[in-house]
Amino acid sequence: MRIEAWRIYQALSLIAALTLLAWPLPDSYAPWQPQWVAMILIFWMSVRPEKAGFGMAWAAGLLSDLVTGSWIGIHVLSYCLIVFLCLRFYRVLQLSSTLQKTFPVGFLLVLHMGYLHLFSIFLSNIDPGLLYWASLPTSLLVWPILHHLMKKIPVGETPMI
Amino acid sequence: MLWRKLISSLILAIVLVSVDYRYAVVDRAAPLVDLVVQPIVTASSLPQQFFDWIYTHYRGVEELIEENRVLRQQLLEDVFWAQSVGALEAENRRLRTLAQLDVPAHSQRVLVAEVTKINTSAFRQTITINRGTRDGTYVGQPVLDERGVVGQISSTSLFQSTVLLVTDVSHALLVRNARTDDRYLAHGNGQGLTLRFVPRHNDLEPGDVLLTSGLDDTYPEQHLVGRITQVTAQPGRDFLEADVQAEAQLHRNREVLLVWHRKPAEEAGDAD
């Protein structure tokens, strides 16, 4: 069995995102850290929607939970939802340019963060406050750059249908 | 097909969350989890290590000599204070014996541990340290740093342990106001600590220093926990609420101090 090259890039980019997620930042910078894993997931869903599906969501989710030390399964829920929406509305992601993609990506990230926010209030009674949303603008600023750089690697994009 | 995949995934994930929430599966399987996570965590700490290396490598000799001098002075001062503490303790012991009170048994061993991982989750406030049962750690062991109380060990494996920080929502400890001697229960709230259900007209002011009371079986007495930043009295409610900022550098620690602390009664019960 031959492993396709893009699979390796996919795994590497996921590991890189997880490494950034685990990066211990000072308290004042931590809320501004972009949602790396979610963005990498959305990127792969936009270029290989038929291949990078729920399997990637599960891998990204389980590893995110372990790395951040939260209860296992929490990130999985959110990532599965993202993957579902990406698959259901794949044309929106596929047919738009890098900049246009920012809008659906922003929407998915709001969903992801809102969901984690709900969980943190529900399970551990923590209200992180308004600063919690600080990672949204930084994510949206980073997204075009990330997308542009990721496009440089041979991702073997699925032709538009 | 898509719907079916989504729903089965969601159900499975919800089952996972509830099982882990209820039975702390991941904490129990810590050694196995570390096998998977450690490479990622090590990689993420590389930039920091790199900068540290550069910093130590290119620091001037004068700077090091100066630092050495300051540290020596500090050590001298600390030794002086430590000696006077010893004398005070002996005197205290003598007085307590005269007054026919229980003599507090001090059998404290300490060990420095390195912080290997800081969990960044919004849900739980924990750190991982590089000491485990091999070094004699136990669940419920107090962890301090040079400023104050960090937390207690919540799970321990052969080579490392997880420390639940005092700011975690599932953590509470008995504290004593250094100014008034009043005792309170300090709950973690994710960012700091909170004193809840403090009776109104209780003498509590911002800036008050809270120490461990020594009344719980976990923490040794007289260690700094935090300072009160804000006291709120909501109209219509019978109780005050006070916010406390933890004194220990919970998320910036590189090294912490493990303390072997047992109540005298427990120690007598231990047949070791």
Side-chain angles (χ1 to χ4, degrees), chain A residues 87-143:
Chain A
L87 288 174
R88 189 78 184 72
F89 304 104
Y90 68 96
R91 269 169 227 263
V92 178
L93 279 177
Q94 272 208 314
L95 293 176
S96 38
S97 69
T98 307
L99 223 55
Q100 277 174 328
K101 268 186 200 173
T102 311
F103 293 99
V105 168
F107 172 74
L108 288 172
L109 288 179
V110 167
L111 213 66
H112 170 65
M113 293 180 68
Y115 154 88
L116 284 182
H117 193 182
L118 255 179
F119 246 88
S120 78
I121 290 172
F122 178 61
L123 278 186
S124 43
N125 208 7
I126 298 174
D127 187 2
L130 208 61
L131 201 61
Y132 171 77
W133 295 95
S135 78
L136 189 63
T138 42
S139 298
L140 291 180
L141 280 178
V142 167
W143 165 258

Tab-separated table of all heavy atoms in Angstrom, chain A residues 87-143:
chain	number	residue	atom	x	y	z
A	87	LEU	N	-18.648	19.590	4.704
A	87	LEU	CA	-19.069	18.627	3.698
A	87	LEU	C	-20.429	18.999	3.116
A	87	LEU	O	-20.667	18.874	1.915
A	87	LEU	CB	-19.134	17.223	4.311
A	87	LEU	CG	-17.796	16.570	4.617
A	87	LEU	CD1	-18.004	15.256	5.350
A	87	LEU	CD2	-17.001	16.333	3.341
A	88	ARG	N	-21.299	19.461	3.998
A	88	ARG	CA	-22.662	19.789	3.576
A	88	ARG	C	-22.640	20.989	2.626
A	88	ARG	O	-23.390	21.029	1.662
A	88	ARG	CB	-23.479	20.088	4.842
A	88	ARG	CG	-24.954	20.254	4.668
A	88	ARG	CD	-25.653	18.920	4.518
A	88	ARG	NE	-27.068	19.107	4.253
A	88	ARG	CZ	-27.562	19.550	3.105
A	88	ARG	NH1	-26.742	19.881	2.129
A	88	ARG	NH2	-28.860	19.671	2.928
A	89	PHE	N	-21.786	21.954	2.922
A	89	PHE	CA	-21.745	23.174	2.103
A	89	PHE	C	-20.379	23.324	1.453
A	89	PHE	O	-19.787	24.397	1.491
A	89	PHE	CB	-22.066	24.394	2.973
A	89	PHE	CG	-23.376	24.285	3.674
A	89	PHE	CD1	-23.424	23.976	5.031
A	89	PHE	CD2	-24.573	24.474	2.997
A	89	PHE	CE1	-24.639	23.858	5.688
A	89	PHE	CE2	-25.794	24.358	3.652
A	89	PHE	CZ	-25.824	24.053	4.991
A	90	TYR	N	-19.859	22.230	0.865
A	90	TYR	CA	-18.484	22.272	0.387
A	90	TYR	C	-18.297	23.257	-0.753
A	90	TYR	O	-17.227	23.792	-0.968
A	90	TYR	CB	-18.002	20.878	-0.020
A	90	TYR	CG	-18.688	20.319	-1.245
A	90	TYR	CD1	-18.108	20.435	-2.499
A	90	TYR	CD2	-19.911	19.677	-1.137
A	90	TYR	CE1	-18.738	19.929	-3.620
A	90	TYR	CE2	-20.549	19.169	-2.243
A	90	TYR	CZ	-19.960	19.299	-3.488
A	90	TYR	OH	-20.589	18.806	-4.565
A	91	ARG	N	-19.357	23.505	-1.496
A	91	ARG	CA	-19.231	24.441	-2.618
A	91	ARG	C	-18.856	25.841	-2.148
A	91	ARG	O	-18.097	26.544	-2.799
A	91	ARG	CB	-20.542	24.525	-3.386
A	91	ARG	CG	-20.613	23.545	-4.516
A	91	ARG	CD	-22.027	23.501	-5.030
A	91	ARG	NE	-22.445	22.113	-5.189
A	91	ARG	CZ	-22.390	21.488	-6.356
A	91	ARG	NH1	-21.935	22.103	-7.409
A	91	ARG	NH2	-22.787	20.244	-6.448
A	92	VAL	N	-19.403	26.236	-0.999
A	92	VAL	CA	-19.110	27.577	-0.478
A	92	VAL	C	-17.610	27.714	-0.266
A	92	VAL	O	-17.003	28.732	-0.596
A	92	VAL	CB	-19.858	27.798	0.856
A	92	VAL	CG1	-19.524	29.173	1.427
A	92	VAL	CG2	-21.353	27.641	0.666
A	93	LEU	N	-16.998	26.652	0.291
A	93	LEU	CA	-15.563	26.714	0.563
A	93	LEU	C	-14.760	26.584	-0.715
A	93	LEU	O	-13.725	27.217	-0.886
A	93	LEU	CB	-15.167	25.602	1.526
A	93	LEU	CG	-15.429	25.860	3.006
A	93	LEU	CD1	-15.052	24.654	3.818
A	93	LEU	CD2	-14.662	27.083	3.483
A	94	GLN	N	-15.242	25.740	-1.630
A	94	GLN	CA	-14.433	25.433	-2.801
A	94	GLN	C	-14.447	26.534	-3.845
A	94	GLN	O	-13.440	26.770	-4.505
A	94	GLN	CB	-14.935	24.141	-3.432
A	94	GLN	CG	-14.279	22.927	-2.820
A	94	GLN	CD	-14.223	21.794	-3.794
A	94	GLN	OE1	-15.218	21.516	-4.458
A	94	GLN	NE2	-13.090	21.147	-3.888
A	95	LEU	N	-15.570	27.189	-3.970
A	95	LEU	CA	-15.704	28.116	-5.087
A	95	LEU	C	-15.231	29.524	-4.764
A	95	LEU	O	-15.215	30.387	-5.622
A	95	LEU	CB	-17.163	28.167	-5.570
A	95	LEU	CG	-17.651	26.855	-6.198
A	95	LEU	CD1	-19.111	26.963	-6.565
A	95	LEU	CD2	-16.820	26.504	-7.413
A	96	SER	N	-14.857	29.764	-3.516
A	96	SER	CA	-14.494	31.135	-3.190
A	96	SER	C	-12.980	31.301	-3.117
A	96	SER	O	-12.244	30.340	-2.929
A	96	SER	CB	-15.141	31.543	-1.863
A	96	SER	OG	-15.136	30.470	-0.972
A	97	SER	N	-12.552	32.567	-3.272
A	97	SER	CA	-11.124	32.859	-3.217
A	97	SER	C	-10.661	32.855	-1.764
A	97	SER	O	-11.469	32.751	-0.838
A	97	SER	CB	-10.852	34.222	-3.839
A	97	SER	OG	-11.382	35.223	-3.007
A	98	THR	N	-9.331	32.998	-1.602
A	98	THR	CA	-8.764	32.976	-0.249
A	98	THR	C	-9.462	33.965	0.660
A	98	THR	O	-9.849	33.644	1.784
A	98	THR	CB	-7.267	33.325	-0.319
A	98	THR	OG1	-6.651	32.456	-1.255
A	98	THR	CG2	-6.611	33.163	1.034
A	99	LEU	N	-9.620	35.199	0.140
A	99	LEU	CA	-10.191	36.245	0.979
A	99	LEU	C	-11.677	36.006	1.249
A	99	LEU	O	-12.160	36.211	2.353
A	99	LEU	CB	-9.968	37.604	0.304
A	99	LEU	CG	-9.521	38.716	1.255
A	99	LEU	CD1	-8.270	38.303	2.022
A	99	LEU	CD2	-9.286	40.009	0.505
A	100	GLN	N	-12.356	35.536	0.178
A	100	GLN	CA	-13.792	35.266	0.353
A	100	GLN	C	-14.037	34.155	1.372
A	100	GLN	O	-15.032	34.161	2.078
A	100	GLN	CB	-14.410	34.853	-0.985
A	100	GLN	CG	-14.780	36.025	-1.864
A	100	GLN	CD	-15.256	35.569	-3.234
A	100	GLN	OE1	-14.795	34.542	-3.730
A	100	GLN	NE2	-16.156	36.309	-3.825
A	101	LYS	N	-13.093	33.229	1.400
A	101	LYS	CA	-13.237	32.110	2.331
A	101	LYS	C	-13.242	32.566	3.783
A	101	LYS	O	-13.705	31.848	4.651
A	101	LYS	CB	-12.080	31.125	2.140
A	101	LYS	CG	-12.370	30.018	1.156
A	101	LYS	CD	-11.228	29.031	1.166
A	101	LYS	CE	-11.238	28.196	-0.106
A	101	LYS	NZ	-10.061	27.358	-0.216
A	102	THR	N	-12.656	33.754	4.022
A	102	THR	CA	-12.569	34.240	5.396
A	102	THR	C	-13.935	34.258	6.084
A	102	THR	O	-14.030	33.988	7.271
A	102	THR	CB	-11.964	35.656	5.416
A	102	THR	OG1	-10.799	35.628	4.613
A	102	THR	CG2	-11.569	36.058	6.812
A	103	PHE	N	-15.002	34.548	5.290
A	103	PHE	CA	-16.316	34.660	5.915
A	103	PHE	C	-16.839	33.321	6.435
A	103	PHE	O	-17.170	33.214	7.615
A	103	PHE	CB	-17.310	35.324	4.950
A	103	PHE	CG	-16.958	36.752	4.690
A	103	PHE	CD1	-16.265	37.109	3.537
A	103	PHE	CD2	-17.276	37.735	5.606
A	103	PHE	CE1	-15.907	38.424	3.306
A	103	PHE	CE2	-16.923	39.058	5.389
A	103	PHE	CZ	-16.241	39.398	4.234
A	104	PRO	N	-16.897	32.282	5.575
A	104	PRO	CA	-17.314	30.998	6.136
A	104	PRO	C	-16.387	30.501	7.245
A	104	PRO	O	-16.854	29.915	8.228
A	104	PRO	CB	-17.300	30.047	4.938
A	104	PRO	CG	-16.603	30.751	3.852
A	104	PRO	CD	-16.724	32.210	4.125
A	105	VAL	N	-15.072	30.763	7.094
A	105	VAL	CA	-14.132	30.331	8.132
A	105	VAL	C	-14.440	31.037	9.445
A	105	VAL	O	-14.480	30.414	10.503
A	105	VAL	CB	-12.675	30.606	7.694
A	105	VAL	CG1	-11.717	30.448	8.860
A	105	VAL	CG2	-12.285	29.660	6.578
A	106	GLY	N	-14.693	32.356	9.336
A	106	GLY	CA	-15.057	33.118	10.536
A	106	GLY	C	-16.297	32.547	11.189
A	106	GLY	O	-16.350	32.374	12.408
A	107	PHE	N	-17.279	32.202	10.366
A	107	PHE	CA	-18.516	31.641	10.883
A	107	PHE	C	-18.246	30.331	11.636
A	107	PHE	O	-18.721	30.116	12.752
A	107	PHE	CB	-19.487	31.404	9.726
A	107	PHE	CG	-20.725	30.655	10.125
A	107	PHE	CD1	-21.719	31.290	10.863
A	107	PHE	CD2	-20.882	29.326	9.781
A	107	PHE	CE1	-22.853	30.597	11.252
A	107	PHE	CE2	-22.007	28.633	10.156
A	107	PHE	CZ	-23.002	29.270	10.894
A	108	LEU	N	-17.446	29.451	11.006
A	108	LEU	CA	-17.135	28.156	11.638
A	108	LEU	C	-16.367	28.351	12.942
A	108	LEU	O	-16.618	27.651	13.925
A	108	LEU	CB	-16.317	27.282	10.679
A	108	LEU	CG	-17.096	26.724	9.490
A	108	LEU	CD1	-16.154	26.033	8.515
A	108	LEU	CD2	-18.169	25.757	9.951
A	109	LEU	N	-15.437	29.328	12.951
A	109	LEU	CA	-14.653	29.556	14.163
A	109	LEU	C	-15.526	30.105	15.291
A	109	LEU	O	-15.374	29.722	16.449
A	109	LEU	CB	-13.492	30.517	13.881
A	109	LEU	CG	-12.354	29.932	13.036
A	109	LEU	CD1	-11.277	30.979	12.808
A	109	LEU	CD2	-11.751	28.716	13.718
A	110	VAL	N	-16.461	31.002	14.936
A	110	VAL	CA	-17.390	31.516	15.950
A	110	VAL	C	-18.176	30.370	16.549
A	110	VAL	O	-18.355	30.258	17.768
A	110	VAL	CB	-18.341	32.575	15.340
A	110	VAL	CG1	-19.494	32.861	16.282
A	110	VAL	CG2	-17.588	33.855	15.045
A	111	LEU	N	-18.610	29.458	15.674
A	111	LEU	CA	-19.371	28.296	16.126
A	111	LEU	C	-18.532	27.450	17.076
A	111	LEU	O	-18.972	27.061	18.161
A	111	LEU	CB	-19.747	27.472	14.899
A	111	LEU	CG	-21.071	26.728	14.948
A	111	LEU	CD1	-22.209	27.712	14.997
A	111	LEU	CD2	-21.196	25.809	13.745
A	112	HIS	N	-17.307	27.185	16.642
A	112	HIS	CA	-16.385	26.355	17.422
A	112	HIS	C	-16.115	26.962	18.797
A	112	HIS	O	-16.232	26.299	19.830
A	112	HIS	CB	-15.075	26.219	16.623
A	112	HIS	CG	-13.948	25.603	17.358
A	112	HIS	ND1	-13.967	24.299	17.799
A	112	HIS	CD2	-12.753	26.112	17.755
A	112	HIS	CE1	-12.835	24.033	18.424
A	112	HIS	NE2	-12.078	25.108	18.407
A	113	MET	N	-15.808	28.269	18.791
A	113	MET	CA	-15.463	28.917	20.061
A	113	MET	C	-16.689	29.084	20.948
A	113	MET	O	-16.615	28.932	22.170
A	113	MET	CB	-14.811	30.265	19.790
A	113	MET	CG	-13.462	30.130	19.113
A	113	MET	SD	-12.722	31.722	18.807
A	113	MET	CE	-12.400	32.233	20.471
A	114	GLY	N	-17.797	29.395	20.327
A	114	GLY	CA	-19.024	29.546	21.103
A	114	GLY	C	-19.399	28.248	21.786
A	114	GLY	O	-19.799	28.220	22.952
A	115	TYR	N	-19.187	27.172	21.066
A	115	TYR	CA	-19.501	25.859	21.607
A	115	TYR	C	-18.573	25.501	22.780
A	115	TYR	O	-19.017	25.038	23.827
A	115	TYR	CB	-19.399	24.847	20.468
A	115	TYR	CG	-19.085	23.467	20.908
A	115	TYR	CD1	-20.098	22.593	21.264
A	115	TYR	CD2	-17.774	23.034	20.977
A	115	TYR	CE1	-19.799	21.336	21.688
A	115	TYR	CE2	-17.467	21.774	21.399
A	115	TYR	CZ	-18.482	20.923	21.754
A	115	TYR	OH	-18.180	19.682	22.191
A	116	LEU	N	-17.276	25.780	22.601
A	116	LEU	CA	-16.325	25.517	23.706
A	116	LEU	C	-16.633	26.403	24.912
A	116	LEU	O	-16.534	25.972	26.058
A	116	LEU	CB	-14.888	25.776	23.247
A	116	LEU	CG	-14.247	24.718	22.354
A	116	LEU	CD1	-12.815	25.111	22.041
A	116	LEU	CD2	-14.267	23.357	23.020
A	117	HIS	N	-17.043	27.642	24.617
A	117	HIS	CA	-17.411	28.587	25.668
A	117	HIS	C	-18.573	28.046	26.487
A	117	HIS	O	-18.552	28.017	27.703
A	117	HIS	CB	-17.802	29.908	24.994
A	117	HIS	CG	-17.904	31.047	25.955
A	117	HIS	ND1	-18.268	32.293	25.583
A	117	HIS	CD2	-17.681	31.103	27.282
A	117	HIS	CE1	-18.273	33.086	26.642
A	117	HIS	NE2	-17.914	32.382	27.686
A	118	LEU	N	-19.590	27.564	25.748
A	118	LEU	CA	-20.770	26.982	26.398
A	118	LEU	C	-20.359	25.834	27.312
A	118	LEU	O	-20.799	25.725	28.451
A	118	LEU	CB	-21.712	26.435	25.320
A	118	LEU	CG	-22.959	27.256	25.051
A	118	LEU	CD1	-23.767	26.599	23.955
A	118	LEU	CD2	-23.776	27.408	26.319
A	119	PHE	N	-19.470	24.987	26.773
A	119	PHE	CA	-19.047	23.821	27.534
A	119	PHE	C	-18.296	24.227	28.789
A	119	PHE	O	-18.466	23.629	29.848
A	119	PHE	CB	-18.150	22.924	26.679
A	119	PHE	CG	-18.796	21.616	26.400
A	119	PHE	CD1	-19.620	21.458	25.313
A	119	PHE	CD2	-18.600	20.548	27.255
A	119	PHE	CE1	-20.234	20.263	25.060
A	119	PHE	CE2	-19.214	19.336	27.013
A	119	PHE	CZ	-20.024	19.199	25.911
A	120	SER	N	-17.444	25.261	28.656
A	120	SER	CA	-16.652	25.648	29.823
A	120	SER	C	-17.564	26.223	30.906
A	120	SER	O	-17.304	26.071	32.090
A	120	SER	CB	-15.538	26.614	29.451
A	120	SER	OG	-16.041	27.893	29.282
A	121	ILE	N	-18.649	26.885	30.497
A	121	ILE	CA	-19.586	27.396	31.493
A	121	ILE	C	-20.382	26.233	32.095
A	121	ILE	O	-20.577	26.129	33.300
A	121	ILE	CB	-20.557	28.413	30.854
A	121	ILE	CG1	-19.796	29.688	30.499
A	121	ILE	CG2	-21.694	28.739	31.803
A	121	ILE	CD1	-20.595	30.663	29.697
A	122	PHE	N	-20.763	25.307	31.217
A	122	PHE	CA	-21.636	24.207	31.618
A	122	PHE	C	-20.919	23.196	32.503
A	122	PHE	O	-21.403	22.809	33.556
A	122	PHE	CB	-22.153	23.538	30.340
A	122	PHE	CG	-23.038	22.360	30.590
A	122	PHE	CD1	-24.228	22.505	31.289
A	122	PHE	CD2	-22.689	21.116	30.111
A	122	PHE	CE1	-25.044	21.424	31.510
A	122	PHE	CE2	-23.509	20.021	30.336
A	122	PHE	CZ	-24.686	20.179	31.033
A	123	LEU	N	-19.696	22.788	32.091
A	123	LEU	CA	-19.006	21.713	32.803
A	123	LEU	C	-18.188	22.214	33.986
A	123	LEU	O	-18.110	21.553	35.008
A	123	LEU	CB	-18.074	20.950	31.855
A	123	LEU	CG	-18.701	19.875	30.986
A	123	LEU	CD1	-17.602	19.140	30.243
A	123	LEU	CD2	-19.491	18.892	31.812
A	124	SER	N	-17.541	23.366	33.832
A	124	SER	CA	-16.659	23.755	34.931
A	124	SER	C	-17.010	25.119	35.494
A	124	SER	O	-16.287	25.640	36.330
A	124	SER	CB	-15.199	23.711	34.490
A	124	SER	OG	-15.063	24.273	33.219
A	125	ASN	N	-18.136	25.702	35.043
A	125	ASN	CA	-18.627	26.917	35.670
A	125	ASN	C	-17.638	28.077	35.565
A	125	ASN	O	-17.566	28.922	36.432
A	125	ASN	CB	-18.924	26.630	37.151
A	125	ASN	CG	-20.020	27.540	37.655
A	125	ASN	OD1	-20.612	28.265	36.862
A	125	ASN	ND2	-20.276	27.510	38.934
A	126	ILE	N	-16.832	28.054	34.519
A	126	ILE	CA	-15.890	29.150	34.313
A	126	ILE	C	-16.460	30.075	33.252
A	126	ILE	O	-16.821	29.621	32.179
A	126	ILE	CB	-14.524	28.636	33.815
A	126	ILE	CG1	-13.906	27.725	34.848
A	126	ILE	CG2	-13.605	29.787	33.484
A	126	ILE	CD1	-12.632	27.088	34.359
A	127	ASP	N	-16.527	31.362	33.555
A	127	ASP	CA	-16.870	32.316	32.513
A	127	ASP	C	-15.603	33.084	32.154
A	127	ASP	O	-15.140	33.911	32.919
A	127	ASP	CB	-17.955	33.270	33.007
A	127	ASP	CG	-18.445	34.147	31.875
A	127	ASP	OD1	-17.955	33.961	30.743
A	127	ASP	OD2	-19.296	35.007	32.117
A	128	PRO	N	-15.019	32.756	30.991
A	128	PRO	CA	-13.719	33.363	30.672
A	128	PRO	C	-13.805	34.849	30.339
A	128	PRO	O	-12.790	35.504	30.239
A	128	PRO	CB	-13.237	32.581	29.450
A	128	PRO	CG	-14.266	31.547	29.172
A	128	PRO	CD	-15.494	31.867	29.943
A	129	GLY	N	-15.002	35.381	30.160
A	129	GLY	CA	-15.125	36.808	29.877
A	129	GLY	C	-14.933	37.147	28.412
A	129	GLY	O	-14.755	36.263	27.568
A	130	LEU	N	-14.948	38.425	28.121
A	130	LEU	CA	-14.919	38.879	26.732
A	130	LEU	C	-13.581	38.566	26.062
A	130	LEU	O	-13.501	38.358	24.858
A	130	LEU	CB	-15.190	40.389	26.695
A	130	LEU	CG	-15.838	40.907	25.408
A	130	LEU	CD1	-17.186	40.250	25.193
A	130	LEU	CD2	-15.983	42.409	25.470
A	131	LEU	N	-12.513	38.534	26.863
A	131	LEU	CA	-11.175	38.308	26.330
A	131	LEU	C	-11.071	36.933	25.661
A	131	LEU	O	-10.197	36.701	24.826
A	131	LEU	CB	-10.146	38.416	27.463
A	131	LEU	CG	-8.720	38.702	27.022
A	131	LEU	CD1	-8.639	40.016	26.305
A	131	LEU	CD2	-7.782	38.682	28.213
A	132	TYR	N	-11.985	36.043	26.010
A	132	TYR	CA	-11.999	34.716	25.413
A	132	TYR	C	-12.062	34.804	23.895
A	132	TYR	O	-11.462	34.007	23.190
A	132	TYR	CB	-13.206	33.945	25.953
A	132	TYR	CG	-13.457	32.636	25.265
A	132	TYR	CD1	-12.678	31.529	25.564
A	132	TYR	CD2	-14.465	32.512	24.311
A	132	TYR	CE1	-12.897	30.329	24.930
A	132	TYR	CE2	-14.696	31.319	23.678
A	132	TYR	CZ	-13.919	30.228	23.987
A	132	TYR	OH	-14.131	29.044	23.361
A	133	TRP	N	-12.779	35.803	23.392
A	133	TRP	CA	-12.985	35.919	21.948
A	133	TRP	C	-11.803	36.562	21.238
A	133	TRP	O	-11.836	36.754	20.033
A	133	TRP	CB	-14.267	36.704	21.663
A	133	TRP	CG	-15.463	35.953	22.145
A	133	TRP	CD1	-16.105	36.097	23.340
A	133	TRP	CD2	-16.136	34.895	21.465
A	133	TRP	NE1	-17.130	35.205	23.435
A	133	TRP	CE2	-17.184	34.458	22.306
A	133	TRP	CE3	-15.964	34.275	20.218
A	133	TRP	CZ2	-18.042	33.424	21.946
A	133	TRP	CZ3	-16.828	33.250	19.870
A	133	TRP	CH2	-17.852	32.837	20.724
A	134	ALA	N	-10.765	36.890	21.992
A	134	ALA	CA	-9.607	37.569	21.393
A	134	ALA	C	-8.952	36.741	20.298
A	134	ALA	O	-8.349	37.291	19.383
A	134	ALA	CB	-8.583	37.902	22.486
A	135	SER	N	-9.080	35.412	20.363
A	135	SER	CA	-8.395	34.598	19.364
A	135	SER	C	-9.115	34.626	18.019
A	135	SER	O	-8.563	34.216	17.009
A	135	SER	CB	-8.231	33.163	19.856
A	135	SER	OG	-9.425	32.459	19.718
A	136	LEU	N	-10.358	35.123	17.993
A	136	LEU	CA	-11.095	35.185	16.723
A	136	LEU	C	-10.461	36.175	15.739
A	136	LEU	O	-10.140	35.788	14.606
A	136	LEU	CB	-12.562	35.523	16.994
A	136	LEU	CG	-13.483	35.401	15.797
A	136	LEU	CD1	-13.543	33.963	15.297
A	136	LEU	CD2	-14.873	35.908	16.123
A	137	PRO	N	-10.260	37.450	16.114
A	137	PRO	CA	-9.602	38.362	15.174
A	137	PRO	C	-8.212	37.887	14.755
A	137	PRO	O	-7.875	37.984	13.570
A	137	PRO	CB	-9.530	39.688	15.941
A	137	PRO	CG	-9.914	39.401	17.328
A	137	PRO	CD	-10.722	38.170	17.315
A	138	THR	N	-7.419	37.375	15.702
A	138	THR	CA	-6.077	36.929	15.312
A	138	THR	C	-6.186	35.757	14.336
A	138	THR	O	-5.414	35.677	13.376
A	138	THR	CB	-5.225	36.513	16.520
A	138	THR	OG1	-6.018	35.774	17.422
A	138	THR	CG2	-4.639	37.699	17.224
A	139	SER	N	-7.144	34.850	14.577
A	139	SER	CA	-7.315	33.724	13.651
A	139	SER	C	-7.648	34.220	12.252
A	139	SER	O	-7.094	33.750	11.259
A	139	SER	CB	-8.444	32.809	14.131
A	139	SER	OG	-8.145	32.270	15.363
A	140	LEU	N	-8.570	35.187	12.173
A	140	LEU	CA	-8.996	35.685	10.867
A	140	LEU	C	-7.876	36.435	10.162
A	140	LEU	O	-7.800	36.437	8.942
A	140	LEU	CB	-10.235	36.568	11.017
A	140	LEU	CG	-11.493	35.789	11.414
A	140	LEU	CD1	-12.673	36.716	11.555
A	140	LEU	CD2	-11.799	34.682	10.406
A	141	LEU	N	-6.998	37.072	10.955
A	141	LEU	CA	-5.840	37.741	10.351
A	141	LEU	C	-4.839	36.708	9.838
A	141	LEU	O	-4.238	36.881	8.777
A	141	LEU	CB	-5.156	38.639	11.380
A	141	LEU	CG	-5.794	40.002	11.625
A	141	LEU	CD1	-5.030	40.749	12.698
A	141	LEU	CD2	-5.813	40.819	10.332
A	142	VAL	N	-4.677	35.639	10.581
A	142	VAL	CA	-3.693	34.625	10.217
A	142	VAL	C	-4.197	33.768	9.062
A	142	VAL	O	-3.416	33.312	8.225
A	142	VAL	CB	-3.365	33.741	11.458
A	142	VAL	CG1	-2.613	32.497	11.053
A	142	VAL	CG2	-2.569	34.538	12.463
A	143	TRP	N	-5.508	33.588	8.975
A	143	TRP	CA	-6.083	32.657	8.003
A	143	TRP	C	-5.602	32.846	6.561
A	143	TRP	O	-5.136	31.878	5.946
A	143	TRP	CB	-7.614	32.688	8.075
A	143	TRP	CG	-8.252	32.039	6.904
A	143	TRP	CD1	-8.813	32.653	5.831
A	143	TRP	CD2	-8.347	30.630	6.653
A	143	TRP	NE1	-9.264	31.731	4.931
A	143	TRP	CE2	-8.991	30.478	5.411
A	143	TRP	CE3	-7.951	29.494	7.344
A	143	TRP	CZ2	-9.258	29.236	4.843
A	143	TRP	CZ3	-8.214	28.253	6.789
A	143	TRP	CH2	-8.853	28.130	5.555
